[in-house]
Structure formats: structure tokens, C-alpha cells
Amino acid sequence: MRRFFSRSLSARLLLLTVGFVLAAETLLFLPSIAFFRQEGLEMRARSASLVAEALMSNQVGGDPSREASAMLARQFMMQTDADFLAAFQDGQTLLILGEPPQANIIAVVDLRNTRRFPDFIATTMDFFANGDGYLRIIAPSPIDGQDRLELLVPCAAIGAELRAYAGRILLLSLLIAIFVGILIYLAMLRLIVRPVRELANDMTAFREAPELRRQLSPVLDRGDEIGQLQREFHEMKQSLRSSFRQRERLASLGLSVTKINHDLRNVLSTALLMADRLSMNADPALSEMGERLARTVERGVGLTEEVLEYSSAREPEPVLETVQLGRIVADVQMDMRTAFPRVWVANQIGHDVRITADPEQLQRILSNLLRNAAQAMDGQDKPKIEVAADIVADTVIVQIGDNGPGLPDYVEDRLFLPFTRGNSDSSTGLGLSISKELAEKMGGSLELLDTGPDGTTFILGLPRAYIQA
């Protein structure tokens, strides 16, 4: 039970509700008991007026207290706890019931004026009164010619009555607090506690086995904060599961590349040997072709190793040096002429633009961007790619723009995530992800500037290199 109240949100909610209701009842207790005392005193005054009128109307002569019936006196005294009742007329005191007591009069209450606000201090004193002493109550007389009526009530009787009333109020407050607490507890259990508990269990199950799909217990159409929390958690699970699937695909890719890496390197080694022989040919055209083929095969070997490192979550560190940007773009431009002869690549970068970068990784970034653009413009009339550069402070901004159909809307938000494909079905979806990571490793950035029916433009930012004078 102690563990239940210390760890259960619903139990704490029940206790808080009961506590708050009792706190509200406590604030209302003193005004309530003060009004009760005021009404009790006024009731005694009304009863005294009725008794005095009845006795005085039956008076034939002599002292009216001797003429009163014993039954009426006992009933009045039992209902009002009064020990003495007298009327005052023309400066004389007419005893109606009882004899003047010898005890002290603790307080005087005059009820002849208009109804006044209850006296909290007097109520507090009467509540704790349990000894000798009387409360003197002055009330207007219903009989013509009489000035007033006075009755004496023991303070102990008033205190006992107030304490009995307080006990009833306390019991009633407890019943109300428990009843209201149970109602609020049931409402909160249905609206908050149970959905939160189900969500917590779902989180625990997802943490223990995130790859397993489970049926969602709560519906996702609630419009309040709980519903928002459920939807956000559902979206988070979908995103994480998608990430897990991508990691599994990357792991499978790494395993596949590892298996074929040895055989592929043997094939590329043979192609590299043939390229070396061509480069030693006496014909300048064949010699240049052999050199380009050798460089292409070497890049192929490097790409294979980098794909293996990427799938193994081990990215190669860049070797930074001062690079002439226009020359790297020209090399990629020559490769594009061979692979995509219909695509016109316009190199608008001057020979004086130099950056700090890894030449191999920079060439890979540019090759990915230009190949993606060429593949997106497959079948289009007059496909064109423009490569330009601007120098802004210490950064060289390279713009790669095409006149293709643009990227689909569903691709823009996850363009640089692995296995995200644009308009081309032949790509693996790794090019932009790898290019962005390589650019950031070199201290640069890669972003999508604009895309639409008129074409797509990417921005590649790289550190500017200064030539020592």
C-alpha cells in the first residue's frame, strides 16, 4: 500500500484531491461555525419571545414565573439551555423563568439591532468554553410596553453545541472530499492516468525491442496534449524504425562490399595495368587516354574503399591542401562528356579561385552533384549544367545549377539522408548524403538553394585558400 501511494500517479492524484477539498472546507469552517452560532442565538431569542408572550398572556396576578407550567419551562430550557429568562419594563425586572445565577457573565450579545455579521472572536472563545460562566442574550420583547428580554445561557452549553456542529461538519467534509476525490480520480484515470500509463508501457516495450511492431493501444485522434504526445511518440517510433532499417541496409551493404572488394580490386588492377600500357604509347592521343583511364581506375578503387568505410561507419579523414577549383571542375567536366555526351556542362570558374580541400573528395562531391543533375535531365531537350563560384569573405560559394524538372516535394525534407532518391531510379540514394558529409569534414557545407520547374541549384561552401606572397 505504501509503495502504491508513493509511486502511483493515480493514488497521488486521489490524495491531492482529498487534501484540496479538505483545505477548502477548512477555509470555510470558521465562517460556517460563526453563522451557526449566530443562528443559534437568534433561535434562542425567538423561543424566549414565544415563551414570554405565552406566559404573560396567562398571567392573572403575582410573579409570572410562579404561574408558568413546569412542562413549558422544561421544554424551553431543554431546547435553549437557558437557566434564566426575564423581561424589563419601566425600569423593573420581571422574572419569567429561573433564578438569577451566581456565576459571572462572560459576554453580552444584543440582538435588538439589525442582523449583524457574526463575531469570529466570540465564536472562537465560545468554541473552547467548557467551564463556568454565562452568555447574556438581549432580545426585543414581543409584548407592548416591555423594553427587552434577557436570557442567560451557560457558555459551556454553547461550546458543546459548537463542537458537536464542528464534528458534523468534519464528518461531512470527509465524506464530500472522498466522494469528490473518487469522482475526480475516476475522471483523471480515464482521461490522463490510463493513457499515460499505456504510453509509458509502450515506451518501455519499444526500448526493450524497438524492432518489433505492436498495435497501438490508444487512438491517435485526441486533440489535447495527451493526443499530441501519443502522435509525437508514434512519429518518433516510425522515424527510429526507418533509421534502424537504413542501418541494417548499410550493414548489409558493408558486408556485400567486403565480399566483393577483393575480386573487384583484382579486376581494377588488371584495368590499371592496361591503362599504364596505353599511357606509354607513342601516340599522344592514346597516351593521354591511358593517363585519364589510369586516374579513373584509381578513383574507382578509392570509391570502393570509401563505400566500405561508409558502410562500416568509418569515414576517411580528408587530406587538406590548396586546390585550384577550376581545374577540379574541368576534370569532372571531361568525365561528364564521356558519360553524358548530351549534357552541356558550363565551367564558369576562373583559374585564380583557390580553396582548401581534399582533391579526391572534392572531385567526388562535384561528380556526385553533376551526375545527379544529368540523370535528372535524362530525355530532356538541351540539358545544361552551370558551375559558378563567388567569394564571400573567407568562403568560396560554388553554385551547381541545372535546367531540369526540379526535385519532388516529398524529397526536399530528407534530401541528404541515405537512400533518398530523387527523379532517377538508377541511383542508390547515397551520393548527396556522402557529399554533404565529405563537405562538412573539409570545413564546408552543402545545401539545396532552390528547386522547381526551371531547375535545381545546390550551394557548396568551402574554405578559401590564400596564396603566400
Side-chain angles (χ1 to χ4, degrees), residues 356-414:
T356 300
D358 185 315
E360 294 296 329
Q361 293 187 3
L362 176 60
Q363 186 164 0
R364 185 179 178 187
I365 294 173
L366 294 173
S367 179
N368 284 334
L369 293 174
L370 268 63
R371 285 179 178 273
N372 287 345
Q375 292 172 356
M377 295 184 295
D378 187 22
Q380 180 176 322
D381 294 337
K382 298 180 180 180
K384 178 182 178 181
I385 302 175
E386 293 185 358
V387 183
D390 292 326
I391 299 177
V392 179
D394 295 333
T395 303
V396 176
I397 305 298
V398 184
Q399 293 189 6
I400 301 97
D402 60 58
N403 60 347
L407 295 171
D409 295 337
Y410 64 88
V411 175
E412 291 186 34
D413 295 336
R414 51 194 310 268

Side-chain angles (χ1 to χ4, degrees), residues 3-226:
R3 182 179 180 183
F4 172 74
F5 281 101
S6 62
R7 300 186 62 181
S8 175
L9 178 61
S10 56
R12 294 181 182 179
L13 185 62
L14 176 60
L15 291 179
L16 285 176
T17 304
V18 173
F20 288 154
V21 173
L22 289 178
E25 293 286 348
T26 302
L27 293 177
L28 297 176
F29 173 74
L30 186 57
S32 175
I33 199 171
F35 277 106
F36 176 77
R37 174 183 178 273
Q38 183 76 9
E39 292 177 358
L41 298 180
E42 293 176 353
M43 182 273 295
R44 288 176 170 85
R46 289 193 297 269
S47 298
S49 298
L50 295 175
V51 170
E53 187 177 9
L55 294 179
M56 296 299 292
S57 64
N58 294 330
Q59 178 182 358
V60 177
D63 192 352
S65 63
R66 298 177 182 177
E67 303 291 336
S69 66
M71 182 181 296
L72 183 61
R74 286 196 302 269
Q75 185 177 3
F76 170 74
M77 292 182 175
M78 182 178 62
Q79 291 179 351
T80 62
D81 297 318
D83 291 346
F84 174 78
L85 175 62
F88 290 81
Q89 181 177 359
D90 298 331
Q92 297 181 356
T93 302
L94 301 177
L95 296 179
I96 301 177
L97 289 175
E99 295 292 338
Q102 299 299 324
N104 296 327
I105 296 177
I106 304 300
V108 178
V109 179
D110 192 348
L111 299 178
R112 291 176 298 177
N113 300 327
T114 57
R115 183 182 179 90
R116 56 195 179 91
F117 197 76
D119 191 341
F120 295 113
I121 298 178
T123 301
T124 305
M125 295 177 61
D126 290 344
F127 182 84
F128 294 102
N130 55 7
D132 296 334
Y134 282 86
L135 181 66
R136 180 184 175 188
I137 303 175
I138 303 175
S141 176
I143 301 174
D144 294 336
Q146 289 185 356
D147 297 332
R148 65 185 185 274
L149 295 176
E150 291 188 7
L151 66 155
L152 300 179
V153 180
C155 293
I158 300 293
E161 186 179 52
L162 294 179
R163 288 190 291 272
Y165 174 77
R168 295 193 299 271
I169 289 294
L170 177 60
L171 179 60
L172 182 62
S173 300
L174 285 175
L175 294 177
I176 293 176
I178 294 174
F179 180 72
V180 174
I182 291 176
L183 291 181
I184 296 179
Y185 167 76
L186 294 177
M188 294 297 101
L189 182 65
R190 178 178 177 84
L191 296 177
I192 298 178
V193 177
R194 186 177 298 170
V196 171
R197 184 184 301 161
E198 293 175 352
L199 188 61
N201 293 335
D202 199 5
M203 288 181 178
T204 302
F206 180 75
R207 176 178 57 83
E208 295 175 351
E211 71 280 358
L212 297 180
R213 289 184 175 271
R214 294 177 175 83
Q215 184 67 28
L216 282 176
S217 299
V219 294
L220 300 179
D221 57 354
R222 291 184 54 164
D224 55 9
E225 290 79 1
I226 299 294

Side-chain angles (χ1 to χ4, degrees), residues 344-366:
W344 176 32
V345 179
N347 183 5
Q348 300 178 358
I349 300 178
H351 296 288
D352 57 340
V353 179
R354 289 175 171 81
I355 60 174
T356 300
D358 185 315
E360 294 296 329
Q361 293 187 3
L362 176 60
Q363 186 164 0
R364 185 179 178 187
I365 294 173
L366 294 173

